[in-house]
Amino acid sequence: DLVVLAFGGNESGNRWLDLDRYHRELTQVVKLMRGGRRLPCLLFAPLDQAERDQRGKAKTLPKLPGIVAVQRRVAGEQKCAFYDTFTAMGGEGSIWRWYRSRPRLATADFRHATPKGYAVLGKMFYKALLKGYADYIRRLSQDPGR
């Protein structure tokens, strides 16, 4: 079993979001979803998300990096895995680059990937899982008493 939680996209548009409160509430959600058991869990960070500035260029929503940081912290505190989708896709401004790429990997709302973009994200996540597993096996082989 694995509890996978993907939050933060909708919240990133809330300029009044209190990150301390978000931390407390996300912690409670993780605990609730695990049902008081030690189920393995994964927090999946949101994609880069943006709004157009006065010049028409998409700029990352100001709250998004803070949301990702809180999710990383909660994952560590709750002993969950964490996948930083935001950083994996290129960090700040990446949704704009994905939108302008050919084939287009993000939609014009600057909040979602296209089907091709989601396929790219899926492959990146899969490669990260394989790397994490390989690193784990390597650590075990270096310390057989573990």
Side-chain angles (χ1 to χ4, degrees), residues 72-93:
R72 180 183 303 279
R73 192 168 123 215
V74 169
E77 291 167 354
Q78 297 302 309
K79 306 215 181 332
C80 293
F82 177 71
Y83 184 71
D84 189 346
T85 315
F86 173 71
T87 300
M89 68 184 293
E92 289 196 33

Side-chain angles (χ1 to χ4, degrees), residues 96-106 114 116:
W96 175 248
R97 293 187 299 276
W98 281 44
Y99 175 72
R100 293 175 47 96
S101 72
R102 296 293 173 255
R104 188 164 279 165
L105 300 176
T114 63
K116 287 184 189 287

Side-chain angles (χ1 to χ4, degrees), residues 56-77:
K57 186 175 178 188
K59 296 280 191 182
T60 295
L61 297 173
K63 287 288 183 175
L64 187 57
I67 288 170
V68 173
V70 167
Q71 290 181 351
R72 180 183 303 279
R73 192 168 123 215
V74 169
E77 291 167 354

Side-chain angles (χ1 to χ4, degrees), residues 21 33 45 49 65 94 111 116 131 133:
R21 181 176 178 184
M33 294 304 295
Q49 298 197 17
S94 59
R111 301 283 202 281
K116 287 184 189 287
K131 182 183 179 320
Y133 182 69

Side-chain angles (χ1 to χ4, degrees), residues 83 121-133:
Y83 184 71
L121 290 167
K123 287 177 187 172
M124 291 181 348
F125 179 62
Y126 177 70
K127 287 179 180 181
L129 280 176
L130 290 180
K131 182 183 179 320
Y133 182 69

